[in-house]
Amino acid sequence: QVQLVESGGGLVQAGGSLRLSCAASGRTFSMFSMGWFHQAPGKEREFVAAISWSGRNTYYADSVKGRFTISRDNAKNTVYLQMNNLKPEDTAVYYCAAAITYNTGRVFGPTDEYNYWGQGTQVTVSS
């Protein structure tokens, strides 16, 4: 079993920045490809970004390219989402997710199956 705990959410003005963290425990962290998703009120959960086991490969939703950066520190069992130039439409609950893989370079995209999910952290961007 794997536990994922997100942190770093909060209230920020448009144009501001936040860094989300997702700490994993319970299993070897480096065996997971990791992803971030978000869900706004009344909407379905959407893919934001993903990173491979090795950390060398990343994948972003078009809406966040150039503004968000996903990274990971396997020594700390933590994945990060640096969010810059935030917009009101980024307001949502942000979830991290883990996908078991033995392929160090594989990135799991929006339609791939993720095995574990965190509880989410709220991000609110005011205009």
Side-chain angles (χ1 to χ4, degrees):
Q1 191 69 12
V2 172
Q3 293 78 44
L4 302 175
V5 179
E6 302 95 337
S7 62
L11 173 64
V12 64
Q13 289 188 330
S17 298
L18 284 173
R19 188 175 82 154
L20 305 183
S21 299
C22 173
S25 62
R27 188 166 173 168
T28 304
F29 179 68
S30 61
M31 295 176 64
F32 295 111
S33 176
M34 301 296 294
W36 285 96
F37 292 74
H38 69 197
Q39 186 168 19
K43 296 187 177 181
E44 293 188 353
R45 186 168 60 195
E46 297 179 338
F47 172 83
V48 175
I51 188 166
S52 63
W53 173 355
S54 66
R56 287 193 295 269
N57 297 320
T58 57
Y59 178 46
Y60 295 93
D62 288 343
S63 60
V64 305
K65 282 181 182 176
R67 299 189 299 123
F68 291 10
T69 302
I70 188 171
S71 62
R72 66 191 294 163
D73 184 340
N74 288 345
K76 295 182 178 180
N77 291 351
T78 302
V79 63
Y80 304 97
L81 185 68
Q82 178 66 43
M83 305 186 295
N84 298 330
N85 191 22
L86 282 159
K87 303 176 181 180
E89 51 263 42
D90 295 320
T91 294
V93 177
Y94 282 72
Y95 300 91
C96 72
I100 299 172
T101 180
Y102 294 92
N103 183 334
T104 61
R106 182 179 176 187
V107 178
F108 280 63
T111 59
D112 290 316
E113 180 181 358
Y114 283 80
N115 304 99
Y116 302 99
W117 293 83
Q119 294 299 306
T121 185
Q122 176 70 46
V123 171
T124 303
V125 185
S126 63
S127 57

